[in-house]
Short mmCIF file of all heavy atoms in Angstrom, two decimals:
data_model
loop_
_atom_site.label_atom_id
_atom_site.label_comp_id
_atom_site.label_asym_id
_atom_site.label_seq_id
_atom_site.Cartn_x
_atom_site.Cartn_y
_atom_site.Cartn_z
N LYS A 216 -37.58 -9.27 28.63
CA LYS A 216 -38.00 -10.67 28.85
C LYS A 216 -39.26 -11.01 28.24
O LYS A 216 -40.17 -10.19 28.14
CB LYS A 216 -38.21 -10.88 30.52
CG LYS A 216 -36.91 -10.82 31.24
CD LYS A 216 -37.22 -10.99 32.77
CE LYS A 216 -36.01 -11.10 33.49
NZ LYS A 216 -36.40 -11.35 35.00
N LYS A 217 -39.44 -12.23 27.79
CA LYS A 217 -40.74 -12.79 27.32
C LYS A 217 -41.67 -12.86 28.49
O LYS A 217 -41.13 -12.95 29.71
CB LYS A 217 -40.50 -14.11 26.61
CG LYS A 217 -40.04 -13.95 25.22
CD LYS A 217 -41.29 -13.42 24.32
CE LYS A 217 -42.38 -14.52 24.07
NZ LYS A 217 -43.43 -13.89 23.39
N ASP A 218 -42.92 -13.07 28.33
CA ASP A 218 -43.89 -13.15 29.42
C ASP A 218 -43.75 -14.42 30.34
O ASP A 218 -44.24 -14.56 31.39
CB ASP A 218 -45.40 -12.93 29.03
CG ASP A 218 -45.70 -13.97 27.81
OD1 ASP A 218 -44.76 -14.75 27.35
OD2 ASP A 218 -46.66 -13.82 27.24
N ASP A 219 -42.92 -15.31 29.78
CA ASP A 219 -42.69 -16.59 30.61
C ASP A 219 -41.40 -16.41 31.48
O ASP A 219 -40.93 -17.29 32.00
CB ASP A 219 -42.60 -17.76 29.71
CG ASP A 219 -41.56 -17.82 28.68
OD1 ASP A 219 -40.74 -16.75 28.58
OD2 ASP A 219 -41.49 -18.74 27.80
N GLY A 220 -40.85 -15.11 31.33
CA GLY A 220 -39.61 -14.90 32.06
C GLY A 220 -38.27 -15.15 31.36
O GLY A 220 -37.15 -14.88 31.86
N ARG A 221 -38.30 -15.59 30.10
CA ARG A 221 -37.07 -15.85 29.24
C ARG A 221 -36.34 -14.59 28.91
O ARG A 221 -37.08 -13.61 28.44
CB ARG A 221 -37.45 -16.61 28.03
CG ARG A 221 -37.51 -18.12 28.20
CD ARG A 221 -37.44 -18.86 26.85
NE ARG A 221 -37.94 -18.19 25.79
CZ ARG A 221 -39.23 -18.15 25.32
NH1 ARG A 221 -40.26 -18.70 26.16
NH2 ARG A 221 -39.59 -17.60 24.32
N LEU A 222 -35.11 -14.59 29.20
CA LEU A 222 -34.34 -13.45 28.86
C LEU A 222 -34.07 -13.47 27.31
O LEU A 222 -33.50 -14.38 26.68
CB LEU A 222 -32.97 -13.40 29.49
CG LEU A 222 -32.87 -12.76 31.02
CD1 LEU A 222 -31.51 -13.03 31.52
CD2 LEU A 222 -33.24 -11.16 30.92
N VAL A 223 -34.26 -12.23 26.55
CA VAL A 223 -34.02 -12.18 25.26
C VAL A 223 -33.16 -11.11 24.76
O VAL A 223 -32.66 -10.85 23.69
CB VAL A 223 -35.31 -12.14 24.39
CG1 VAL A 223 -36.12 -13.32 24.46
CG2 VAL A 223 -36.20 -10.84 24.85
N GLY A 224 -32.82 -10.24 25.86
CA GLY A 224 -31.76 -9.05 25.54
C GLY A 224 -31.49 -8.36 26.71
O GLY A 224 -32.21 -8.43 27.76
N PHE A 225 -30.48 -7.52 26.67
CA PHE A 225 -30.18 -6.53 27.80
C PHE A 225 -29.48 -5.32 27.24
O PHE A 225 -28.96 -5.34 26.02
CB PHE A 225 -29.37 -7.25 28.85
CG PHE A 225 -27.93 -7.39 28.50
CD1 PHE A 225 -26.93 -6.39 28.81
CD2 PHE A 225 -27.49 -8.46 27.80
CE1 PHE A 225 -25.59 -6.54 28.42
CE2 PHE A 225 -26.17 -8.59 27.26
CZ PHE A 225 -25.20 -7.64 27.73
N ALA A 226 -29.48 -4.31 28.08
CA ALA A 226 -28.63 -3.08 27.69
C ALA A 226 -28.32 -2.29 28.98
O ALA A 226 -29.05 -2.33 29.93
CB ALA A 226 -29.46 -2.21 26.84
N ALA A 227 -26.98 -1.96 29.15
CA ALA A 227 -26.48 -1.21 30.17
C ALA A 227 -26.16 0.27 29.73
O ALA A 227 -25.61 0.35 28.74
CB ALA A 227 -25.35 -1.82 30.82
N ILE A 228 -26.55 1.14 30.55
CA ILE A 228 -26.25 2.59 30.27
C ILE A 228 -25.53 3.25 31.39
O ILE A 228 -25.65 2.83 32.62
CB ILE A 228 -27.59 3.40 30.01
CG1 ILE A 228 -28.51 3.42 31.18
CG2 ILE A 228 -28.21 2.84 28.83
CD1 ILE A 228 -29.60 4.40 31.14
N LEU A 229 -24.66 4.17 31.14
CA LEU A 229 -24.00 4.96 32.17
C LEU A 229 -24.60 6.24 32.29
O LEU A 229 -25.09 6.88 31.38
CB LEU A 229 -22.50 4.92 31.70
CG LEU A 229 -21.62 3.77 31.67
CD1 LEU A 229 -20.31 3.97 31.17
CD2 LEU A 229 -21.66 3.11 32.90
N LEU A 230 -24.53 6.76 33.60
CA LEU A 230 -25.24 8.13 33.91
C LEU A 230 -24.16 9.04 34.48
O LEU A 230 -23.46 8.74 35.27
CB LEU A 230 -26.29 7.90 34.90
CG LEU A 230 -27.43 6.80 34.61
CD1 LEU A 230 -28.28 6.64 35.70
CD2 LEU A 230 -28.20 7.33 33.30
N GLN A 231 -24.24 10.29 33.95
CA GLN A 231 -23.42 11.40 34.58
C GLN A 231 -24.07 12.67 34.19
O GLN A 231 -24.30 13.01 33.02
CB GLN A 231 -21.98 11.25 33.96
CG GLN A 231 -20.88 12.22 34.56
CD GLN A 231 -20.62 11.59 35.99
OE1 GLN A 231 -20.27 10.46 36.09
NE2 GLN A 231 -20.54 12.52 36.99
N GLY A 232 -24.28 13.40 35.24
CA GLY A 232 -24.89 14.79 35.03
C GLY A 232 -26.29 14.73 34.55
O GLY A 232 -27.09 13.77 34.86
N LYS A 233 -26.55 15.52 33.46
CA LYS A 233 -27.91 15.40 32.75
C LYS A 233 -27.78 14.53 31.44
O LYS A 233 -28.78 14.59 30.66
CB LYS A 233 -28.37 16.77 32.36
CG LYS A 233 -28.68 17.61 33.57
CD LYS A 233 -29.20 18.99 33.14
CE LYS A 233 -29.47 19.87 34.41
NZ LYS A 233 -30.09 21.16 33.96
N CYS A 234 -26.72 13.69 31.29
CA CYS A 234 -26.45 12.92 30.26
C CYS A 234 -26.38 11.40 30.45
O CYS A 234 -25.91 11.05 31.54
CB CYS A 234 -25.28 13.39 29.43
SG CYS A 234 -25.06 12.76 27.66
N ALA A 235 -26.92 10.56 29.67
CA ALA A 235 -26.94 9.18 29.81
C ALA A 235 -25.97 8.60 28.47
O ALA A 235 -26.14 9.21 27.51
CB ALA A 235 -28.16 8.53 29.86
N TYR A 236 -25.38 7.51 28.70
CA TYR A 236 -24.60 6.97 27.66
C TYR A 236 -24.81 5.48 27.47
O TYR A 236 -24.91 4.58 28.39
CB TYR A 236 -22.99 7.11 28.13
CG TYR A 236 -22.56 8.54 28.13
CD1 TYR A 236 -22.97 9.39 29.27
CD2 TYR A 236 -21.73 9.05 27.34
CE1 TYR A 236 -22.55 10.61 29.24
CE2 TYR A 236 -21.36 10.32 27.28
CZ TYR A 236 -21.71 11.23 28.29
OH TYR A 236 -21.27 12.45 28.37
N TYR A 237 -25.00 5.02 26.20
CA TYR A 237 -25.17 3.68 25.84
C TYR A 237 -23.82 3.05 26.08
O TYR A 237 -22.85 3.48 25.66
CB TYR A 237 -25.50 3.69 24.29
CG TYR A 237 -25.77 2.34 23.67
CD1 TYR A 237 -27.04 1.75 23.67
CD2 TYR A 237 -24.65 1.65 23.11
CE1 TYR A 237 -27.31 0.60 23.08
CE2 TYR A 237 -25.06 0.37 22.39
CZ TYR A 237 -26.26 -0.17 22.53
OH TYR A 237 -26.43 -1.31 21.81
N TYR A 238 -23.76 1.81 26.68
CA TYR A 238 -22.47 1.23 26.99
C TYR A 238 -22.34 -0.18 26.63
O TYR A 238 -21.34 -0.50 25.75
CB TYR A 238 -22.33 1.35 28.53
CG TYR A 238 -20.79 0.93 28.90
CD1 TYR A 238 -19.78 1.78 28.22
CD2 TYR A 238 -20.50 -0.04 29.78
CE1 TYR A 238 -18.51 1.38 28.53
CE2 TYR A 238 -19.18 -0.35 30.11
CZ TYR A 238 -18.25 0.35 29.49
OH TYR A 238 -16.96 0.05 29.77
N VAL A 239 -23.23 -1.07 26.90
CA VAL A 239 -22.98 -2.52 26.45
C VAL A 239 -24.22 -3.18 26.31
O VAL A 239 -25.25 -2.85 27.07
CB VAL A 239 -22.06 -3.26 27.42
CG1 VAL A 239 -22.81 -3.30 28.83
CG2 VAL A 239 -21.85 -4.72 26.98
N SER A 240 -24.53 -4.05 25.38
CA SER A 240 -25.82 -4.67 25.14
C SER A 240 -25.63 -6.00 24.59
O SER A 240 -24.53 -6.32 24.16
CB SER A 240 -26.72 -3.69 24.26
OG SER A 240 -26.15 -3.66 23.01
N GLY A 241 -26.77 -6.87 24.55
CA GLY A 241 -26.67 -8.10 23.86
C GLY A 241 -28.20 -8.60 23.59
O GLY A 241 -29.07 -8.20 24.19
N ASN A 242 -28.25 -9.55 22.54
CA ASN A 242 -29.35 -10.15 22.25
C ASN A 242 -29.30 -11.70 22.05
O ASN A 242 -28.30 -12.00 21.53
CB ASN A 242 -30.07 -9.49 21.02
CG ASN A 242 -30.48 -8.11 21.16
OD1 ASN A 242 -31.49 -7.83 21.69
ND2 ASN A 242 -29.61 -7.22 20.64
N THR A 243 -30.39 -12.36 22.34
CA THR A 243 -30.44 -13.85 21.83
C THR A 243 -30.94 -13.80 20.45
O THR A 243 -31.47 -12.84 19.86
CB THR A 243 -31.46 -14.62 22.70
OG1 THR A 243 -32.73 -14.12 22.64
CG2 THR A 243 -31.04 -14.51 24.21
N HIS A 244 -30.78 -14.97 19.77
CA HIS A 244 -31.42 -15.16 18.44
C HIS A 244 -32.90 -14.86 18.44
O HIS A 244 -33.43 -14.11 17.69
CB HIS A 244 -31.27 -16.54 17.97
CG HIS A 244 -29.90 -16.87 17.35
ND1 HIS A 244 -29.48 -16.19 16.19
CD2 HIS A 244 -28.96 -17.61 17.66
CE1 HIS A 244 -28.27 -16.55 15.81
NE2 HIS A 244 -27.89 -17.42 16.86
N GLU A 245 -33.55 -15.21 19.47
CA GLU A 245 -35.04 -14.96 19.71
C GLU A 245 -35.33 -13.58 19.86
O GLU A 245 -36.19 -12.93 19.26
CB GLU A 245 -35.57 -15.93 20.84
CG GLU A 245 -37.18 -15.58 20.94
CD GLU A 245 -37.63 -16.43 22.19
OE1 GLU A 245 -36.99 -16.74 22.98
OE2 GLU A 245 -38.89 -16.55 22.28
N GLY A 246 -34.40 -12.93 20.71
CA GLY A 246 -34.61 -11.48 20.81
C GLY A 246 -34.56 -10.67 19.54
O GLY A 246 -35.24 -9.71 19.23
N LEU A 247 -33.51 -11.04 18.73
CA LEU A 247 -33.44 -10.35 17.30
C LEU A 247 -34.63 -10.44 16.52
O LEU A 247 -35.11 -9.50 15.96
CB LEU A 247 -32.27 -11.02 16.63
CG LEU A 247 -30.93 -10.54 17.07
CD1 LEU A 247 -29.81 -11.32 16.34
CD2 LEU A 247 -30.64 -9.04 16.85
N SER A 248 -35.24 -11.71 16.48
CA SER A 248 -36.48 -11.89 15.70
C SER A 248 -37.68 -11.26 16.22
O SER A 248 -38.52 -10.90 15.48
CB SER A 248 -36.73 -13.53 15.53
OG SER A 248 -37.12 -14.04 16.70
N LEU A 249 -37.77 -10.97 17.49
CA LEU A 249 -38.91 -10.43 18.19
C LEU A 249 -38.78 -8.95 18.32
O LEU A 249 -39.64 -8.21 18.70
CB LEU A 249 -39.02 -11.00 19.59
CG LEU A 249 -39.47 -12.52 19.68
CD1 LEU A 249 -39.42 -12.89 21.11
CD2 LEU A 249 -40.78 -12.82 19.00
N GLY A 250 -37.51 -8.32 17.95
CA GLY A 250 -37.50 -6.90 18.04
C GLY A 250 -37.09 -6.45 19.56
O GLY A 250 -37.55 -5.25 19.87
N ALA A 251 -36.56 -7.27 20.30
CA ALA A 251 -36.35 -6.86 21.70
C ALA A 251 -35.48 -5.60 21.97
O ALA A 251 -35.78 -4.87 22.66
CB ALA A 251 -35.64 -8.02 22.47
N SER A 252 -34.37 -5.64 21.01
CA SER A 252 -33.44 -4.43 21.16
C SER A 252 -34.01 -3.04 20.96
O SER A 252 -33.87 -2.15 21.71
CB SER A 252 -32.30 -4.62 20.41
OG SER A 252 -31.23 -3.80 20.67
N PRO A 253 -34.69 -2.94 19.89
CA PRO A 253 -35.55 -1.58 19.67
C PRO A 253 -36.50 -1.18 20.76
O PRO A 253 -36.54 -0.05 21.08
CB PRO A 253 -36.31 -1.85 18.39
CG PRO A 253 -35.41 -2.79 17.64
CD PRO A 253 -34.98 -3.76 18.60
N LEU A 254 -37.17 -2.23 21.16
CA LEU A 254 -38.21 -1.91 22.30
C LEU A 254 -37.38 -1.66 23.52
O LEU A 254 -37.84 -0.63 24.32
CB LEU A 254 -39.07 -3.16 22.49
CG LEU A 254 -40.05 -3.01 23.77
CD1 LEU A 254 -41.02 -1.76 23.62
CD2 LEU A 254 -40.76 -4.24 24.00
N LEU A 255 -36.42 -2.26 23.81
CA LEU A 255 -35.47 -1.96 25.11
C LEU A 255 -35.02 -0.63 25.03
O LEU A 255 -35.08 0.18 26.07
CB LEU A 255 -34.39 -3.05 25.05
CG LEU A 255 -33.50 -3.14 26.32
CD1 LEU A 255 -34.28 -3.43 27.51
CD2 LEU A 255 -32.33 -4.10 26.07
N MET A 256 -34.47 -0.11 23.89
CA MET A 256 -33.86 1.16 23.83
C MET A 256 -34.87 2.21 23.95
O MET A 256 -34.69 3.23 24.50
CB MET A 256 -32.97 1.22 22.58
CG MET A 256 -31.81 0.35 22.64
SD MET A 256 -30.68 0.38 24.28
CE MET A 256 -30.43 2.18 24.40
#
Side-chain angles (χ1 to χ4, degrees):
K216 291 182 178 181
K217 281 287 289 174
D218 47 8
D219 61 2
R221 275 196 331 276
L222 276 170
V223 291
F225 78 92
I228 62 169
L229 299 175
L230 304 169
Q231 190 73 47
K233 294 183 179 180
C234 197
Y236 294 73
Y237 183 89
Y238 192 53
V239 60
S240 63
N242 292 282
T243 65
H244 277 294
E245 184 182 17
L247 285 172
S248 65
L249 295 177
S252 187
L254 176 62
L255 188 59
M256 294 314 303

